[in-house]
Each structure stands twice: as structure tokens, then as C-alpha cells.
Amino acid sequence: MVDPRSPSDATRAEFARLLEIYGAERRRWPAASQPVYDACAGDMTHAELFHEAAALDGALSEATSHRGDDAFKERLLADFVPRRAREAARPRRRWIRLAPAGAFAALSAMGFVVGSATAGAADEALYYAEAAMEPALTADGLWAEAP
Amino acid sequence: MKVAASINVRGVAGYACPQRTSSGCAPGGVLTPADDSDEALIARVGRGDRLAASAIVLRHSDAVLGLAWRMLGERAAAEDATQETFLKFWSSAGEWRPQGARVKTWLLKIAANACLDRLRRRGREVATDSPPELADHAPAADEKLMREERRAAVDAALAALPERQRLALVLCHYEELSQNDAAEALNVSVEALESLLARGRRALRAALIERLDELFMGERHGRSSIAL
């Protein structure tokens, strides 16, 4: 338990250690350690250390702030998110993935039916053509039996 | 279902959920404040919700880009790392579980790893005991120049830190992650994080100490909070 009125040496040492780590802003300290801060922040023992830590916090805040501009965010949104979202949505649109296989099967079946019908008609046409030509061919002796 | 919302860099306006109420949306498909948490959005991203994905990007892209920029030191590389981060994030969004790290922590962890990978490939790490070269400018004539000089000095000192010390400072100071979240993002214990922070701050102070009087003299007598 930290006594806020007269911090012990151990508390002061812990305060110094945490100043080195988290700096002089209370909100940056772990919640569990904030009683140490409250007990020692006004204590003069580590006033110089506290001042240095606060100065370093201030210096860090002087660094350039890097934030994305609107153009970059628009690129992220326009080029990236829709594509990823579509990919993520694929499982719900399974019929799209199955479409090529279905189309192939349908075309194969259609090809078989058309092919069969066409082949039957061709055989029939050939039969009638041969029947019609047979007398002439026989007369010319082309199909005559060998003597 | 047509989504009655527009997306631009200022936000996801009139965010309407394209899912049915079973997805967690309020009746009518309108996103309620409770639905607007990162956790709710991630669940929707896993189901392919484009608007939820957009909301996550708008909410966290600055933090990811800021971290990448501080780590990599240049805008183009930082933007590439940001895109890579979101790519990895989406590909694993379906695996995210609410009991794990916060979404921002998870994103920054991915970004941190992406940056560390890039730095290793570059071989650009600067040793901790080599202080940054600060420009030897003449004393600034006005406050704006003085501020620019201070900024350049701090940027250089930060850039010269070893990468993990810099990463710890960026996560804790600039992105204001809690100690546990920062340790999670760095994949280290809280004790190790504290060691990185303490060493990083000491190195920064050492790097800036030679120019402190010159750079921060104007502030020393005014606002002591930024005088070193």
C-alpha cells in the first residue's frame, strides 16, 4: 500500500524506475502503478528526474505526425477493400464456382445428343443413297461379282 | 441486396448492414452503435461485408501507416507496408476471436512484423550507440524554424533507435497502446517491453542531450515541459 503523504524509499525508487519507462504523464502509466505516481509526483526527491522525463515526453510529441492523406485512403478503399470483400464473400456464392463445371456438363450432354442424332441421320442418308445408286453401279459392272 | 450507404475517406455514411438480422444487425439493417465496435465489424468482414471492411480501414489506417512510417522512415514503403498489413489482416479476419487481442493491437502487431521484415531485408538497422547526425543549422531566427529544427532532431533521434526500441516507443507513446497490448503486439512480456521502453528513452535522451540547450533553449524558460 502506497502512503501518499510520505512515500517510502522503495516507493520513491519505484517511481524513478517507472519514470524512466513511461515518462512523466500519469495517463501513460499502468493503472496499477498510478498510486506510486500520485505519491511521488510532487515529491522533490526526484524533481530533476521528473523534469527530464517531462521534457523527453514533450520532445517526443514534437516529432513529425505521420498520417495518411485522403488519396491514400481512397486507394485503400477503392482498390483493396472491394476485392478482398469479394473474395471473402465467395463461399456464399457457390453457384459461381460451380458454373463452369455445370456448363461443361450441359455442353457435353448437348454434344452427345446432337452428335447421336446427326450420326443417325447420316447413316440413314447413306443407306438411301446406296440403294438409289445400286442399279447404276451394277449396270456399269462396277459392283459386279468377280467371274 | 443493395447497400444503402456510401463510402469515402470521411467515413462510412449511413452504414447499412447488407446482412439479415441474424448477423447481428438491428432490424431494418441499420448499423447501431453497439454494432459499430471493432469486434462486430470484424465478424462482418469475415462474412465478406464490404462496408465493415471499409470502416475498419478508415478507423485504423492512420495508426498502421503512422507506425510503418516511423519504422521505415519513408512514405512509399510505409504505404506498401500498410497495404500488406490489411491484406494479411483480411486473409485472417475469419480466424479472429473476440477473447484475443484487441483489433487495433492485432493490426499493429501485423504491421510491426511487416515493418521488421522489411527492415531486415533492407539491413538498415542503426546501432544503438551511434547517435544520429543532427544538422548543424544556425540558430533559428523564428519560432517556426525553431520548431522545424526540433522536429528534425527528434525524428532523427527516433530513426536512429534500434528497431525494437523504436517500435516499443511508437506503440506506447504515439499509438497509446496499454502495456499489455504493446507487449502483445511486440510478442514479448511486459517486463521485456519495459526494458525496451527504458532503453529507448535513455538512448533518445543521450542522442538529444548535446543539442538540448540549443534546440530547446527557447522553451526552457517558457514551457519547461518540453525543455530537456
Side-chain angles (χ1 to χ4, degrees):
Chain A
M1 187 72 181
V2 176
D3 182 354
R5 289 166 300 181
S6 62
S8 65
D9 287 348
T11 303
R12 289 195 179 101
E14 178 69 354
F15 177 70
R17 186 185 77 84
L18 292 167
L19 268 182
E20 289 273 302
I21 297 168
Y22 298 110
E25 291 183 73
R26 185 181 187 275
R27 66 189 178 89
R28 297 184 186 278
W29 283 42
S33 301
Q34 287 181 1
V36 175
Y37 184 100
D38 295 336
C40 299
D43 188 65
M44 293 306 291
T45 310
H46 294 299
E48 189 169 347
L49 200 59
F50 185 84
H51 177 80
E52 282 185 7
L56 191 57
D57 291 339
L60 280 169
S61 300
E62 297 257 340
T64 306
S65 175
H66 298 298
R67 295 298 175 209
D69 56 18
D70 285 358
F72 175 62
K73 290 178 186 174
E74 278 168 3
R75 282 206 305 280
L76 271 181
L77 290 176
D79 300 337
F80 175 67
V81 171
R83 179 164 60 87
R84 300 304 307 171
R86 278 200 302 274
E87 287 174 8
R90 270 185 191 164
R92 292 187 295 126
R93 298 163 64 187
R94 194 167 293 165
W95 62 270
I96 290 178
R97 285 188 299 169
L98 297 176
F104 178 76
L107 285 172
S108 300
M110 192 184 302
F112 178 77
V113 170
V114 170
S116 300
T118 307
D123 286 348
E124 199 173 341
L126 187 60
Y127 173 79
Y128 284 115
E130 284 176 354
M133 291 172 68
E134 189 173 1
L137 291 172
T138 305
D140 289 345
L142 292 175
W143 279 11
E145 294 281 333
Chain B
M1 180 176 178
K2 190 175 179 181
V3 176
S6 63
I7 306 170
N8 58 44
V9 294
R10 284 165 197 82
V12 180
Y15 182 26
C17 181
Q19 311 293 326
R20 293 189 176 87
T21 54
S22 60
S23 70
C25 274
V30 177
L31 194 72
T32 64
D35 296 320
D36 198 24
S37 66
D38 280 349
E39 290 72 19
L41 291 174
I42 286 299
R44 293 200 177 90
V45 171
R47 294 194 292 269
D49 184 334
R50 176 173 177 262
L51 291 178
S54 303
I56 290 284
V57 167
L58 290 173
R59 188 172 294 174
H60 296 298
S61 61
D62 272 345
V64 172
L65 183 70
L67 179 143
W69 206 328
R70 287 189 199 285
M71 292 305 297
L72 301 173
E74 54 177 310
R75 181 194 185 113
E79 290 185 351
D80 286 349
T82 301
Q83 287 189 304
E84 181 187 332
T85 296
F86 279 109
L87 201 84
K88 288 181 178 169
F89 182 64
W90 300 135
S91 65
S92 55
E95 299 162 13
W96 188 84
R97 296 292 175 269
Q99 64 268 27
R102 290 193 307 140
V103 172
K104 182 181 178 184
T105 305
W106 192 26
L107 261 173
L108 292 178
K109 183 175 187 174
I110 297 171
N113 287 329
C115 291
L116 292 175
D117 285 347
R118 282 163 188 266
L119 287 171
R120 278 186 205 110
R121 285 201 296 269
R122 277 190 205 168
R124 264 186 51 169
E125 185 178 354
V126 181
T128 182
D129 55 356
S130 53
E133 292 293 326
L134 302 182
D136 186 19
H137 295 304
D142 57 32
E143 176 56 27
K144 188 179 176 188
L145 280 176
M146 187 76 101
R147 195 180 309 125
E148 287 302 316
E149 201 165 340
R150 281 200 302 265
R151 176 169 294 137
V154 176
D155 286 348
L158 269 172
L161 287 179
E163 58 195 29
R164 292 180 73 77
Q165 291 175 23
R166 183 161 76 247
L167 192 48
L169 274 169
V170 169
L171 291 170
C172 289
H173 189 89
Y174 295 106
E175 300 310 327
E176 302 196 349
L177 292 191
S178 71
Q179 292 72 35
N180 287 334
D181 284 350
E184 163 73 24
L186 272 163
N187 208 22
V188 297
S189 66
V190 171
E191 290 75 21
L193 170 77
E194 289 187 337
S195 172
L196 287 169
L197 285 172
R199 283 185 284 146
R201 288 178 67 94
R202 274 198 295 272
L204 270 183
R205 198 163 50 231
L208 291 170
I209 200 86
E210 292 173 5
R211 301 291 299 271
L212 293 180
D213 281 343
E214 181 184 337
L215 292 171
F216 297 97
M217 192 165 48
E219 303 290 339
R220 182 180 286 275
H221 302 297
R223 285 185 306 154
S224 62
S225 65
I226 62 166
L228 275 167

